[in-house]
Amino acid sequence: METSAYGETDVRQRLGIPRDAERVLIFAESSHWDPDWMFTSEEYYRLRIRRVLDGMVRWLDREPRRVYSIECMYFFRMYWERNPENRETLRRWVNEGRIRFSGSGINTPDSILPELEAVIRDYLHGQEWLRSHGMEQEPRLAYLPDNFGNTPALPSVLRALGCEYSAFSRIDGIFFPGLDYFNSGNYPLAGSSAELLLKECRSADFVWRSGDGSEITCHLNPFTYGQGDTISYVGAARWMGMVIGLPLPMRGRRHVAKKIAGYVRQLERYARTPYMFCPIGFDFNQPIPHLAAMLDDYNEAVYPHTGVFAVNAALEDYMDLVTAHRDKLPVLSIDPNPYFTGFYSSRPEMKQRCKAIATTLIAAEKLMAAREVAGEDEAAEGLWEEINATWDEALMSNHHDFITGTSPNRVWEKEQKPLLVAWQAAADAILDQVFSRYGEDAEPAPPPAVPEWTLRDGVLTVRTPHYTIALDEAAGGCITRWSGPSSDTDLLSAPANDVVAYEDRGGLWRMGYEYRGG
């Protein structure tokens, strides 16, 4: 076996993968934790998080070779603060690589709606929290399993953050069980990014190249981010700790071997390397009992006959192994949107407040930086601390179920709106203090342009300095026309494969991007 710059031989040795194993199935176990979606953050902590993380501690202790991945800091930080008796153990496991962070942000942030600075701060604050508590993992991966699409500039952003890898489940044209009206046979949809990957390239792994040439190695979960959750159960899925099917645990060799054979049949057609990835981690599921022991038993009894070696590891390990075969992966410049469209405009007050909070904090920082306010100024030091603390709290709103407006009204009224109002008031108060102390010569910012709109014959037309869009009631409220400021060309009806320039599209598409019509 050839050793790559990413240490394929070393990674295989560390994971106990035999040298002669020609196919390897990696199970990466995590749990997807939304800070507030169907419930508030405190309700989620009380109902699920405490028992999930207690279970992680119990099974990492019982199975010394087991690895558990955590996708963001929000609830891990809460558990750390409320369970001081576990801190030394948690710190040791993080530094040993047994607790792995598949995302070092405060959240798994939506990458389309928040201000870019807010997304960057999300990862910065999460990473700084780790460092400040003696945990030394550095970010290499951004796992965004549940995002409803990602910005086409994601490779540029992640490379700037120090990440080499990303992975996700929802891209335009892909099937998601339980959410789509049509059956799986209609997917991937024609002309979509999912079709390009799964039908044309036949690869779940690819190199994503952005418009500025930045590249990251990516993985698409073709069968959701909880594909392996029922490895020891009979049922279609596990969610919130509940089994959709028979809740009885099935840990016997025959059952596990049958499940693994099914995963391999699904995944091998999209594997251009010896490695396949099976995620375990639907929303708020507890760790699977005896996972490492089940895989050991399978490898001892079944691997010699199937040639498929199964191992519990981290997504980062999988990406390192795949990258050793990077020359086999397609290199694509794609815009994997839209997956959902409603979240672009749902709860406009939510989005307006999120933007106002971020831009106000940025304005305060710019004003202080422009005046070269030094830390030795006691008043300035206090202001910097207030800015940092407000960012730290308000970053919660980046989450892909917060700013997108997908929560029920109860959560919006009980938690999200009161938090936004409080954060906005704090940001406004900080800017007032900064301006009164350091802004005597500063010019006030011009008021933002207010969009113009008309409603005629069921068609709502909205005009801004950057674009014009039309939403047609007869088409179910969908956007039926979208044009830039310097062109009457309708972007939604542009010919397929047109290469469009940034200036001609009002900033909607990047220079050199291929517009896939339809």
Side-chain angles (χ1 to χ4, degrees):
M1 183 191 312
E2 182 178 340
T3 302
S4 76
Y6 284 83
E8 181 180 17
T9 300
D10 292 340
V11 174
R12 287 179 71 120
Q13 289 177 347
R14 176 167 54 79
L15 297 179
I17 300 171
R19 291 180 59 85
D20 59 352
E22 295 182 358
R23 292 189 297 170
V24 179
L25 180 60
I26 291 178
F27 289 93
E29 185 180 36
S30 62
S31 190
H32 178 67
W33 304 332
D34 301 310
D36 58 350
W37 174 40
M38 301 303 292
F39 299 96
T40 68
S41 55
E42 285 294 337
E43 288 168 346
Y44 270 132
Y45 187 88
R46 184 179 70 254
L47 291 170
R48 297 300 305 156
I49 294 298
R50 175 64 189 262
R51 70 180 69 181
V52 169
L53 284 172
D54 282 348
M56 178 197 73
V57 171
R58 180 169 62 254
W59 285 107
L60 288 178
D61 183 61
R62 290 180 63 172
E63 299 187 316
R65 290 185 296 105
R66 189 161 175 167
V67 175
Y68 192 87
S69 297
I70 294 174
E71 65 176 355
C72 61
M73 297 299 130
Y74 188 85
F75 281 124
F76 181 78
R77 186 168 68 171
M78 188 181 293
Y79 185 81
W80 173 280
E81 292 168 352
R82 299 181 185 189
N83 297 274
E85 71 280 4
N86 289 336
R87 288 177 187 171
E88 288 305 316
T89 300
L90 294 174
R91 183 187 292 112
R92 174 168 52 84
W93 283 340
V94 169
N95 291 334
E96 291 174 353
R98 297 192 59 212
I99 294 177
R100 302 286 283 275
F101 292 100
S102 55
S104 58
I106 299 295
N107 298 288
T108 50
D110 178 81
S111 64
I112 298 173
L113 297 174
E115 292 292 297
L116 176 59
E117 183 66 25
V119 175
I120 293 172
R121 295 296 179 104
D122 207 315
Y123 285 98
L124 173 65
H125 278 242
Q127 189 63 46
E128 288 300 316
W129 183 86
L130 283 173
R131 292 191 185 108
S132 68
H133 290 83
M135 289 171 274
E136 299 171 355
Q137 284 191 39
E138 293 294 327
R140 298 180 60 212
L141 169 69
Y143 189 34
L144 304 167
D146 198 29
N147 281 26
F148 312 141
N150 284 294
T151 171
L154 191 66
S156 306
V157 175
L158 293 184
R159 292 300 296 184
L161 292 170
C163 293
E164 304 166 63
Y165 308 134
S166 186
F168 27 79
S169 310
R170 303 182 190 267
I171 63 173
D172 60 300
I174 201 166
F175 177 72
F176 202 100
L179 295 182
D180 288 302
Y181 291 111
F182 302 110
N183 63 44
S184 59
N186 292 313
Y187 295 85
L189 299 179
S192 66
S193 299
E195 183 190 49
L196 177 64
L197 273 170
L198 302 180
K199 277 197 170 182
E200 296 180 32
C201 298
R202 300 193 67 82
S203 180
D205 303 301
F206 66 103
V207 176
W208 188 0
R209 178 182 293 162
S210 65
D212 67 351
S214 299
E215 294 182 351
I216 53 173
T217 306
C218 293
H219 176 77
L220 170 68
N221 294 321
F223 304 99
T224 78
Y225 55 91
Q227 181 183 7
D229 276 84
T230 58
I231 187 172
S232 60
Y233 296 90
V234 177
R238 288 171 66 228
W239 181 79
M240 288 285 288
M242 300 177 291
V243 178
I244 301 172
L246 294 177
L248 298 175
M250 299 282 287
R251 303 192 190 103
R253 183 180 298 166
R254 287 185 61 187
H255 174 84
V256 173
K258 184 178 179 180
K259 281 286 188 176
I260 288 178
Y263 300 144
V264 171
R265 282 195 301 273
Q266 288 180 310
L267 294 169
E268 63 184 351
R269 54 187 158 162
Y270 305 126
R272 290 196 173 195
T273 75
Y275 306 104
M276 295 167 284
F277 180 72
C278 187
I280 298 173
F282 257 148
D283 302 24
F284 297 96
N285 283 335
Q286 61 267 46
I288 294 175
H290 309 286
L291 176 62
M294 284 191 297
L295 298 182
D296 286 344
D297 183 65
Y298 166 86
N299 288 327
E300 180 180 351
V302 184
Y303 161 64
H305 306 290
T306 65
V308 177
F309 190 83
V311 64
N312 166 229
L315 174 56
E316 187 177 54
D317 297 320
Y318 171 80
M319 299 303 293
D320 281 343
L321 292 167
V322 165
T323 301
H325 302 266
R326 192 177 187 274
D327 58 334
K328 298 179 182 178
L329 306 183
V331 179
L332 304 174
S333 293
I334 60 172
D335 182 349
N337 298 291
Y339 177 76
F340 287 149
T341 55
F343 78 91
Y344 290 114
S345 56
S346 59
R347 289 212 178 97
E349 181 184 355
M350 166 94 73
K351 294 161 176 59
Q352 291 162 359
R353 287 187 181 277
C354 290
K355 183 177 181 66
I357 292 164
T359 54
T360 300
L361 291 173
I362 292 169
E365 291 177 328
K366 285 181 176 179
L367 187 55
M368 292 182 71
R371 295 296 181 270
E372 298 182 348
V373 178
E376 57 268 16
D377 181 336
E378 187 174 335
E381 185 176 355
L383 284 170
W384 282 119
E385 289 176 357
E386 286 186 53
I387 291 171
N388 188 67
T390 305
W391 268 121
D392 198 64
E393 294 183 13
L395 290 170
M396 178 186 182
S397 65
N398 287 342
H399 187 261
H400 62 270
D401 277 319
F402 194 129
I403 194 171
T404 53
T406 61
S407 296
N409 289 336
R410 185 187 72 87
V411 175
W412 161 244
E413 296 291 346
K414 185 175 181 178
E415 178 168 54
Q416 292 174 338
K417 184 174 180 179
L419 286 174
L420 289 171
V421 169
W423 296 333
Q424 189 170 357
D428 289 341
I430 289 169
L431 183 57
D432 287 344
Q433 292 182 65
V434 171
F435 197 84
S436 64
R437 189 173 182 87
Y438 305 109
E440 59 274 2
D441 299 324
E443 292 291 333
V450 178
E452 301 175 359
W453 63 273
T454 57
L455 179 61
R456 183 175 302 160
D457 299 327
V459 177
L460 175 64
T461 303
V462 181
R463 296 180 179 84
T464 78
H466 308 292
Y467 57 81
T468 298
I469 61 173
L471 299 90
D472 193 343
E473 188 178 54
C478 292
I479 296 173
T480 56
R481 185 173 182 274
W482 194 331
S483 60
S486 59
S487 171
D488 293 330
T489 302
D490 187 347
L491 298 184
L492 297 183
S493 60
N497 300 324
D498 271 2
V499 176
V500 295
Y502 184 94
E503 293 81 8
D504 290 339
R505 299 306 189 197
L508 300 175
W509 309 97
R510 290 200 311 283
M511 177 71 76
Y513 251 65
E514 187 177 10
Y515 176 74
R516 297 172 64 88

